[in-house]
Amino acid sequence: MLEIRNLKVVFETDRGVVKAVNGIDLTLERGKILGLVGESGSGKSMTLLSILRLVPYPGKIVEGEILFEGEDLLKKSASQMREIRGKDIAMIFQDPMTTLNPVFPVGEQIRESLRVHNIIKPEKEGILGFLGERDRRKKEYEKAVELMEKVGISYPEKRYFSYPHQFSGGMQQRAIIAIALSCNPKLLLADEPTTALDVTIQAQILDLLRQINEVNGTSIIFVTHDLAVAAEFCDEIAVMYAGQMVEKGPVDKVIGEPKHPYTKGLLKSIPKITRKKEKLYAIPGNVPDLASLSPKGCPFYERCEEAVEECKEVELPLIEVSDGEFVRCIKYL
Amino acid sequence: MHKVPLKDGVLDMENGVFIQIKNLKKYFIEEPDLLMKLVAKKKKRVVKAVDDISLDINKGETLGLVGESGCGKTTLGRTIVRLYEPTEGKIIFEGEDITEARGEKLKEYRKKAQIIFQNPYSSLNPRKTVRQILSVPLIASGVKDPHEREERIMYLLNRVGLNYRQMDSYPHEFSGGQRQRIGIARALAMSPEFIVVDEPVSAIDVSIQAQIINLLEELKEELNLTYLFIAHDLSVVYHVSDRVAVMYLGKIVEMGKTEDIFFNPLHPYTKALLSAIPSIDKSKRRERIILEGTVPSPVNPPKGCRFSTRCFMKKGKMCEEVEPELKEVEKGHFVACHLY
């Protein structure tokens, strides 16, 4: 249902052109959960924002196609995009505190999205539309309350008029999920939805998202830096590094038998709760600065322990190593 | 420093009790101004961030402190190094009561007890170079000679894995992981014996976290340090700690050896917390206990057991009325729960 082909996003800054997303290919089937894993600056959030065409200035999409149900989103007009945003494709952002508007009651913000997308149709069209306004408003209110109940906000009638600061972080995130669900989207983009939350609350939110996926059949793209969360929650995982996709495939393959040295390193460097304690493996070096990254060769070259001389030069495609499993590494050429 | 052995003999230096915290409380009091009092009838609010905590830290160990945000773990850490004034209770460091230490005595304590902060972006002054940042603690600890200071700074930077040529760079020229290394160097400048490590990796990229954890462990070995390691990431805490204390709403609910806590958790909250850890290994996944609701406000903590509002193993009335005490149920394994 979603296919991204050779997506490129660049930022033109004083320090030169930064390739935030450098040729990403993705496909997502209906009802599946795809995890995009990477560190800050790896381009995972930019990929998400490009789908909704919300890449902030001075960034722009310079190349590629984003096909959503067969239609290229990059060719849509601004007003067509406004229709799609929130209705067909909804997004949940990382920090719930900054996503909600602090000066409007939470319930009203859920209702706003119902109103904008005309979910409850006015009784009369055109100039007489105001006649059924009171009734329409009531129906929207009821629908918003229903949504709040569905995402697990207790006493929804009372909480409808609460302001965001009266909600805890987990409750705010639930309210945002309610907004995202208000138009029953086909695709849900979740940008680190649990990073700002505690573990027990994270478990609640992941549980809620999984229910939504199972009950409504909503596809989800889940961006996270936490491999363990991705391993538990997603059907497929794509690992990103410095604007490129280095490995993608079904969860069991990527987590169980990682191929790319970066994925291997990441998995090894996570402390595990096992009886034997060993010294942690640490990937050497630092996260690369995209502005000063060499345009040629593998971006992971400097930190890679398995690197060979050719890695500096070769431009690699994603190589299919087994059914549905892709790696961008010279060893599998 | 002159050491005063305790009269009641609680302190036992041979067993290595290094820091003793006794019934420590830290309340934040929010007093509304007169106008609000009269017009809006606002009342005084007391946030009980740390409420009656007692614990011992042994020389050379790492005590892990876990809990969700707002449970008071950072407040406890900061109170121990006297960044906050304790409301009640005692902090005894090497047999000396430093709860009310002032002036020179406090300065002496600060040389021995340091803190590494959570956020390497806000804990370094953006207008000061690394050299200036690291000079401050050195001057305070009496290194007056500039050459000696420079040598110390070079040594420190080298020790935490930074290039000494970057001495005159500003914090913004470093990445998150490198900044945290500067924070570590700053804490080490005093040659402390005890460091409160407050969430050292939560603001750092995943591939760098392991580097910082390893560095902290190496330093501990090399310099014979004692850590109070605060984190909400349980797998990190498991990796570094000898003992672990679990906090909930300003109280310690369970404390014991790391293995006991992780493989034989007794308190329902610990059980739920552990079950919520996402795991890479499918076979290691525990059955998830999903807690309902959120942490109550520390302004009005629930009566009785503070966890009773979310507990899935509640026994009934008793839990809601009587506050459980921290009891030793197995050797060195303490729990505050009516089930035991």
Side-chain angles (χ1 to χ4, degrees):
Chain A
M1 69 177 283
L2 181 80
E3 199 178 344
I4 298 177
R5 285 188 202 145
N6 195 26
L7 179 71
K8 283 187 181 165
V9 178
V10 300
F11 281 75
E12 279 173 31
T13 65
D14 304 341
R15 293 164 61 210
V17 178
V18 176
K19 290 179 187 158
V21 178
N22 194 3
I24 291 285
D25 295 285
L26 262 185
T27 41
L28 179 68
E29 282 163 43
R30 196 174 293 276
K32 283 275 176 357
I33 305 178
L34 170 77
L36 270 185
V37 183
E39 298 177 88
S40 49
S42 63
K44 53 195 194 318
S45 293
M46 280 306 142
T47 310
L48 272 203
L49 290 173
S50 326
I51 297 173
L52 286 175
R53 289 205 6 227
L54 288 173
V55 176
Y57 181 81
K60 56 177 187 251
I61 301 169
V62 284
E63 226 183 293
E65 282 178 324
I66 299 174
L67 300 172
F68 177 69
E69 303 199 305
E71 287 176 64
D72 191 353
L73 293 181
L74 299 182
K75 295 209 175 79
K76 299 261 182 204
S77 70
S79 67
Q80 281 171 321
M81 271 320 286
R82 261 201 306 279
E83 288 273 303
I84 291 168
R85 283 184 205 128
K87 193 171 187 187
D88 295 319
I89 308 177
M91 183 148 177
I92 305 168
F93 293 91
Q94 176 171 0
D95 186 2
M97 322 266 177
T98 50
T99 309
L100 290 169
N101 189 332
V103 299
F104 289 102
V106 172
E108 285 293 307
Q109 298 186 43
I110 300 171
R111 198 179 67 83
E112 182 193 4
S113 130
L114 295 169
R115 173 56 63 100
V116 167
H117 290 291
N118 253 326
I119 297 300
I120 313 279
K121 295 270 179 305
E123 268 173 36
K124 292 195 173 62
E125 290 292 323
I127 197 164
L128 291 172
F130 70 93
L131 285 175
E133 172 62 19
R134 180 182 267 195
D135 198 36
R136 188 182 173 202
R137 207 171 250 259
K138 191 159 173 269
K139 277 185 193 150
E140 281 169 350
Y141 163 78
E142 278 159 8
K143 173 96 180 156
V145 167
E146 190 192 310
L147 281 164
M148 286 170 84
E149 199 168 8
K150 200 166 133 192
V151 296
I153 298 175
S154 46
Y155 312 113
E157 288 97 344
K158 231 170 100 190
R159 301 297 254 162
Y160 183 92
F161 297 103
S162 302
Y163 287 86
H165 75 270
Q166 295 168 307
F167 275 47
S168 65
M171 281 297 144
Q172 290 177 349
Q173 199 60 290
R174 282 172 195 268
I176 290 163
I177 294 175
I179 295 175
L181 291 183
S182 59
C183 306
N184 213 347
K186 294 166 190 148
L187 174 63
L188 193 59
L189 308 177
D191 187 4
E192 309 236 14
T194 59
T195 307
L197 307 173
D198 288 310
V199 259
T200 57
I201 309 297
Q202 166 171 293
Q204 291 175 357
I205 297 292
L206 289 180
D207 197 47
L208 174 64
L209 287 174
R210 191 172 293 121
Q211 273 175 36
I212 291 163
N213 170 256
E214 276 165 16
V215 177
N216 303 358
T218 314
S219 311
I220 301 176
I221 299 185
F222 188 87
V223 164
T224 179
H225 66 267
D226 191 335
L227 265 175
V229 171
E232 287 209 355
F233 184 68
C234 305
D235 300 313
E236 270 184 67
I237 290 188
V239 183
M240 291 186 66
Y241 188 80
Q244 286 188 356
M245 195 165 284
V246 294
E247 181 161 1
K248 71 172 170 185
V251 138
D252 297 335
K253 284 275 170 65
V254 177
I255 300 296
E257 312 155 23
K259 301 276 186 306
H260 197 279
Y262 176 63
T263 322
K264 280 190 214 165
L266 269 191
L267 282 166
K268 265 198 281 178
S269 68
I270 298 174
K272 285 166 203 74
I273 300 173
T274 48
R275 293 226 175 232
K276 217 169 62 195
K277 283 193 201 174
E278 285 161 352
K279 197 173 168 187
L280 280 182
Y281 169 81
I283 302 177
N286 285 305
V287 182
D289 177 9
L290 287 176
S292 50
L293 201 67
S294 144
K296 270 197 299 185
C298 174
F300 190 58
Y301 171 72
E302 302 234 318
R303 304 175 72 188
C304 184
E305 289 185 345
E306 300 172 42
V308 287
E309 215 25 56
E310 286 118 326
C311 294
K312 248 197 282 189
E313 298 292 329
V314 192
E315 279 288 307
L316 285 171
L318 272 174
I319 303 150
E320 187 159 13
V321 281
S322 70
D323 194 28
E325 195 191 8
F326 296 85
V327 185
R328 195 191 295 272
C329 180
I330 202 159
K331 278 171 36 194
Y332 298 92
L333 205 60
Chain B
M1 194 165 40
H2 186 60
K3 278 172 199 161
V4 188
L6 282 179
K7 273 184 194 145
D8 50 352
V10 184
L11 181 79
D12 185 1
M13 283 305 278
E14 273 168 32
N15 282 341
V17 178
F18 183 49
I19 299 165
Q20 266 189 318
I21 312 294
K22 281 184 175 176
N23 303 86
L24 192 70
K25 289 182 185 169
K26 174 66 198 171
Y27 293 172
F28 292 99
I29 296 162
E30 217 174 87
E31 187 102 49
D33 57 29
L34 193 62
L35 186 72
M36 291 306 275
K37 250 188 208 166
L38 294 173
V39 179
K41 297 233 162 61
K42 277 214 169 170
K43 290 203 180 102
K44 195 163 97 174
R45 274 170 23 120
V46 180
V47 179
K48 297 177 178 173
V50 171
D51 202 3
D52 202 355
I53 281 186
S54 301
L55 54 87
D56 294 342
I57 301 172
N58 302 322
K59 180 104 188 154
E61 79 169 346
T62 300
L63 177 69
L65 193 58
V66 292
E68 294 179 272
S69 52
C71 74
K73 52 192 194 306
T74 297
T75 309
L76 177 61
R78 290 188 171 195
T79 312
I80 293 175
V81 290
R82 288 283 310 274
L83 284 177
Y84 290 146
E85 290 302 312
T87 311
E88 245 182 86
K90 280 202 160 35
I91 305 161
I92 297 159
F93 185 82
E94 289 188 316
E96 195 159 4
D97 186 351
I98 55 93
T99 326
E100 300 204 337
R102 295 255 173 279
E104 276 304 310
K105 208 174 155 193
L106 185 60
K107 255 187 163 175
E108 280 298 314
Y109 177 57
R110 292 257 158 89
K111 277 187 200 168
K112 298 194 167 185
Q114 280 290 313
I115 183 165
I116 295 166
F117 294 98
Q118 170 172 12
N119 189 334
Y121 293 87
S122 60
S123 64
L124 299 175
N125 188 338
R127 295 187 173 196
K128 296 247 157 94
T129 62
V130 175
R131 183 200 297 267
Q132 287 169 314
I133 290 169
L134 294 180
S135 291
V136 177
L138 288 173
I139 293 169
S141 63
V143 186
K144 298 246 157 58
D145 177 33
H147 293 290
E148 198 188 328
R149 228 163 37 220
E150 182 150 336
E151 246 165 58
R152 277 286 291 164
I153 293 172
M154 272 156 86
Y155 163 76
L156 285 168
L157 286 179
N158 193 18
R159 189 61 212 81
V160 298
L162 290 173
N163 193 330
Y164 66 87
R165 288 196 195 89
Q166 288 169 297
M167 204 189 284
D168 292 308
S169 308
Y170 288 89
H172 75 265
E173 296 171 61
F174 295 91
S175 68
Q178 288 172 320
R179 279 182 216 215
Q180 197 56 292
R181 288 173 194 267
I182 299 170
I184 295 171
R186 179 173 59 184
L188 290 177
M190 287 279 201
S191 323
E193 293 169 28
F194 170 64
I195 302 182
V196 172
V197 192
D198 188 2
E199 305 252 15
V201 293
S202 61
I204 293 175
D205 276 315
V206 235
S207 73
I208 310 296
Q209 288 186 3
Q211 291 178 4
I212 298 292
I213 294 169
N214 284 345
L215 174 66
L216 286 168
E217 296 222 286
E218 278 165 34
L219 290 170
K220 188 192 154 194
E221 287 283 304
E222 205 178 299
L223 306 169
N224 194 18
L225 297 168
T226 304
Y227 287 151
L228 177 68
F229 197 100
I230 303 170
H232 67 270
D233 187 332
L234 291 148
S235 37
V236 171
V237 168
Y238 175 79
H239 189 82
V240 299
S241 313
D242 301 305
R243 285 194 305 140
V244 174
V246 184
M247 268 183 89
Y248 186 78
L249 263 188
K251 290 257 184 207
I252 288 182
V253 295
E254 187 164 358
M255 182 162 65
K257 284 204 203 80
T258 307
E259 281 75 18
D260 289 346
I261 298 283
F262 278 81
F263 298 111
N264 181 24
L266 296 176
H267 197 281
Y269 178 63
T270 317
K271 285 182 184 170
L273 203 60
L274 289 174
S275 81
I277 313 175
S279 164
I280 285 186
D281 194 344
K282 254 190 193 163
S283 60
K284 295 251 167 53
R285 276 173 210 165
R286 308 170 192 235
E287 197 178 329
R288 184 146 295 165
I289 304 163
I290 291 186
L291 284 182
E292 293 198 359
T294 49
V295 187
S297 148
V299 179
N300 283 314
K303 250 180 81 186
C305 174
R306 298 193 170 187
F307 186 56
S308 59
T309 51
R310 297 171 80 195
C311 189
F312 53 94
M313 289 166 85
K314 201 160 75 178
K315 273 207 304 191
K317 270 261 173 290
M318 192 184 182
C319 292
E320 281 163 27
E321 275 156 17
V322 187
E323 195 162 316
E325 275 176 47
L326 197 64
K327 282 177 294 204
E328 189 164 11
V329 285
E330 289 161 24
K331 199 185 174 308
H333 194 161
F334 298 85
V335 178
C337 180
H338 288 307
L339 289 170
Y340 303 95

